[in-house]
Each structure stands twice: as C-alpha cells, then as structure tokens.
Amino acid sequence: MVETARPTHPGPGETGPAEIGLLLYPGAQAAAIHGLTDLFRVANLVATGEDESRPAPLRISHWEAADGAAAPTRVFDTAPDAAGAPVAIVAPPSLGASPTPELSAALAPWLAARHDAGATLASVCAGAFVIAGTGLLDGRTATTHWALEDEFRTRFPRVDLAIDKLIVDDGDILTAGGLMAWTDLGLRLVDRLLGPELMIETARYLLIDPPGREQRYYSPFSPRLDHRDAAILKVQHWLQGNGARGVTLAAMAACAGLEARTFLRRFQKATGLKPTDYCQRLRIGRARSLLEVGGTTIEQIAWAVGYEDAGAFRKVFQRITGLTPGDYRRRFAPHAAP
C-alpha cells in the first residue's frame, strides 16, 4: 500500500477547505483564471469520488483588483459560507503588456499582508511582475516567460531569474514560466495541498503531463543584437550566415578587427555569452529546426550543423535544451515515429 504524503495545509474536517485565491488584475488572462478554477474543481471531484455529499477539500475564489481600490475583494467563491482566508494566492498571466510598476505597487501591500499571514504566493508567466513588486523575491530565485527576461531583469535586478525553469518552487513562493504553465502550477498546488497521488489522478483525468517539464524545451535562441557594439554585431551577422560551422576564435576576432583578448571581453559583454557557447546555441537552434521537420537521421543533422561526432552533438543538445535529440523529435516533430 502506498502512503499518501500529508498535505501541507489542513484539509476538510480540520479547519474547512483549503482556499486558493486567483487574482483578477487589469489585463489578466481569463483563460488561465477559468482553467485553474476548473483544474481545482476536477481535483475536488477526484478527491470526493464525484460524490457531491462529501465536502470538497479545495475552495476556489476569485479576488478582483479594481482600479483605485485599496485591496482586492472576493467576487467569486465556491464555498461562500466558509470562514478563513486563502492559503495560496495565484497571480495569473497577462495578455499584452506585462503588469505595470503602478499595478505591482498597488497590489504589493495586500499580497505582503497575505504572505505574512502564512499564504503561499504564486505566479504564472507575467504574473511574476506582480509578485516581484512586493520585494519578497529579492535575493531569491524565480522564473517568468522567456520573452520577458530582459524586461524582468531590468525592473527587478535583485531577483535571481532562472529563465530555463518552467516552475521554481521556493517554498512560500512559486513562480511558473509560460502562458500555459498554469497547468503545471495548478498541479503543483494540488500536490502540495492534497498529496501526490491525488495530483497524479487529477493529471490523468485531465490528460495532461504532471509537473516536470522545463521552459528551455520551448524557448528558441534569441541572440542580443541591440548592444550597439558594431564590431561584435558584424561577427554575429557573419556567424548567422555561416551557421557557426568550423569557426575559430582567431577567425571571429579577425572578423571583428580586434585582438583576441579584447574580442573575448567585448563579445561576452555584448551578448552575455562566451563565443563558444554562442556558436553552440546557434548550431543547436538549427538542429532543432531540422529535428522538427523530420526525415533526417540524428547523425546527419549533427554533421549538417557542424558536429563530426554525433555523441558530442547529443551531449551539447541535451545540455542546452534539456532533451535528447530523439526526445525532442518525438515531442515536436508533427509526424515523428513513435
């Protein structure tokens, strides 16, 4: 018999259902809010065996942050007669622009107070801007959507951003990356509140993968080109044109018209990467495209992107993407063989 892990928060029969509050701020993605609501309702169905006479272990509420209001208020509640406060607050993604500094500042006191009272704070995608506005992420690790990396680092330089991670579970604060990562975050909260067995059953009911993916499976390599270093930009364009195949440090420095040591320093400052890492990411980006098309062996792809040793190619590919070439093809090629 498998023993189910004890939930972090008390379940029904102790102090009532565990409330998860979803934050409705201006611009929040409605699909994520309603999707999380349904996911937690499915967890309740699984937990009660679809017996409506049994008390549901989770209470789902929506908290609307109206313009000019001092604090969000409940506008939806699956257990309106129950007492207590949320054990978790979730800031969903936003559509369009990320939450403004003014919005983050307005919500910060209420979120900090809920956190001080023992609630777990969580975010999905751009919702991390809302949580980071409290200052509670300073000096801690978090994630957000890879396309928001530069903006987030600029606004919150004291946060240790792990942009490759789909979920960062830092105990009392959880952050998730992509727009659809609300499924991963929702299952993580179900795991925490109701235990791993019920989380797996919920995932099986919904036909979705349990948490365990990484954001780097999906994010393409987007080199920095706005650094205004003309010599380095010239090299980047040259590398893009030849696919970074067979290039040497000396050749790159010569292209830039710089001494090797100076080139190394300026290249890393401008791009954030060493030349070797940069070239590897360009090659792997090309390999991802070839794997997605299908019809070519992994050995042929390795050769096409500049690797004479297919084994070395596989190691670099997995280090950068988090998947082996074969796993990547099975996941992303539309007609991949099983």
Side-chain angles (χ1 to χ4, degrees):
M1 179 178 179
V2 179
E3 182 180 356
T4 302
R6 179 174 176 81
T8 303
H9 296 281
E14 298 174 19
T15 60
E19 181 181 355
I20 302 175
L22 307 178
L23 187 59
L24 280 66
Y25 60 84
Q29 184 190 25
I33 294 165
H34 295 302
L36 281 167
T37 301
D38 288 344
L39 187 151
F40 297 134
R41 280 178 154 167
V42 167
N44 279 337
L45 288 174
V46 173
T48 60
E50 302 190 35
D51 183 352
E52 293 184 0
S53 66
R54 296 176 61 187
L58 297 179
R59 173 187 181 186
I60 306 105
S61 58
H62 297 174
W63 294 73
E64 186 171 15
D67 289 334
T73 55
R74 275 195 194 95
V75 294
F76 171 82
D77 194 344
T78 58
D81 297 327
V87 299
I89 301 286
V90 180
S94 67
L95 289 178
S98 55
T100 64
E102 292 75 18
L103 176 62
S104 298
L107 292 172
W110 183 78
L111 288 169
R114 299 279 66 76
H115 182 264
D116 289 344
T120 297
L121 301 184
S123 68
V124 182
C125 190
F129 287 76
V130 175
I131 304 299
T134 64
L136 293 169
L137 282 175
D138 289 357
R140 300 176 64 167
T141 303
T143 191
T144 187
H145 194 287
W146 57 266
L148 301 175
E149 178 181 7
D150 290 343
E151 181 184 359
F152 191 91
R153 289 188 188 278
T154 299
R155 283 177 55 179
F156 306 106
R158 297 181 62 188
V159 179
D160 180 13
L161 194 62
I163 203 65
D164 283 343
K165 297 295 184 183
L166 199 68
I167 285 189
V168 173
D169 186 341
D170 201 23
D172 56 337
I173 300 180
L174 290 81
T175 52
L179 277 167
M180 293 300 294
W182 59 262
T183 60
D184 301 82
L185 180 73
L187 289 175
R188 183 65 63 92
L189 288 173
V190 171
D191 185 0
R192 177 177 290 198
L193 296 171
L194 303 181
E197 288 184 18
L198 203 141
M199 181 274 287
I200 294 293
E201 289 300 316
T202 301
R204 183 177 293 124
Y205 190 107
L206 293 167
L207 296 180
I208 56 178
D209 291 337
R213 299 178 293 146
E214 293 189 31
Q215 196 166 184
R216 57 180 170 163
Y217 298 172
Y218 309 94
S219 57
F221 175 50
S222 301
R224 296 180 186 174
L225 302 172
D226 58 351
H227 46 72
R228 299 184 181 181
D229 189 328
I232 301 304
L233 186 60
K234 179 183 177 182
V235 175
Q236 289 178 273
H237 289 321
W238 177 61
L239 292 173
Q240 197 73 43
N242 62 27
R245 297 180 77 257
V247 297
T248 64
L249 174 60
M252 286 186 280
C255 178
L258 299 171
E259 186 267 338
R261 183 176 298 179
T262 302
F263 168 75
L264 277 172
R265 175 177 54 79
R266 284 175 54 175
F267 190 93
Q268 188 162 0
K269 180 182 179 181
T271 67
L273 295 168
K274 295 179 180 179
T276 301
D277 293 335
Y278 187 95
C279 291
Q280 287 178 339
R281 290 177 185 274
L282 278 180
R283 294 174 190 167
I284 296 305
R286 173 61 177 157
R288 289 167 73 143
S289 298
L290 294 173
L291 286 165
E292 289 165 13
V293 172
T296 309
T297 69
I298 291 173
E299 287 73 16
Q300 289 172 324
I301 291 173
W303 180 265
V305 299
Y307 289 90
E308 296 181 4
D309 182 353
F313 165 71
R314 286 185 170 90
K315 290 180 181 178
V316 174
F317 190 96
Q318 185 165 8
R319 176 175 60 81
I320 290 175
T321 68
L323 296 169
T324 66
D327 288 340
Y328 187 90
R329 168 171 276 170
R330 282 186 287 273
R331 184 180 287 261
F332 293 106
H335 304 296

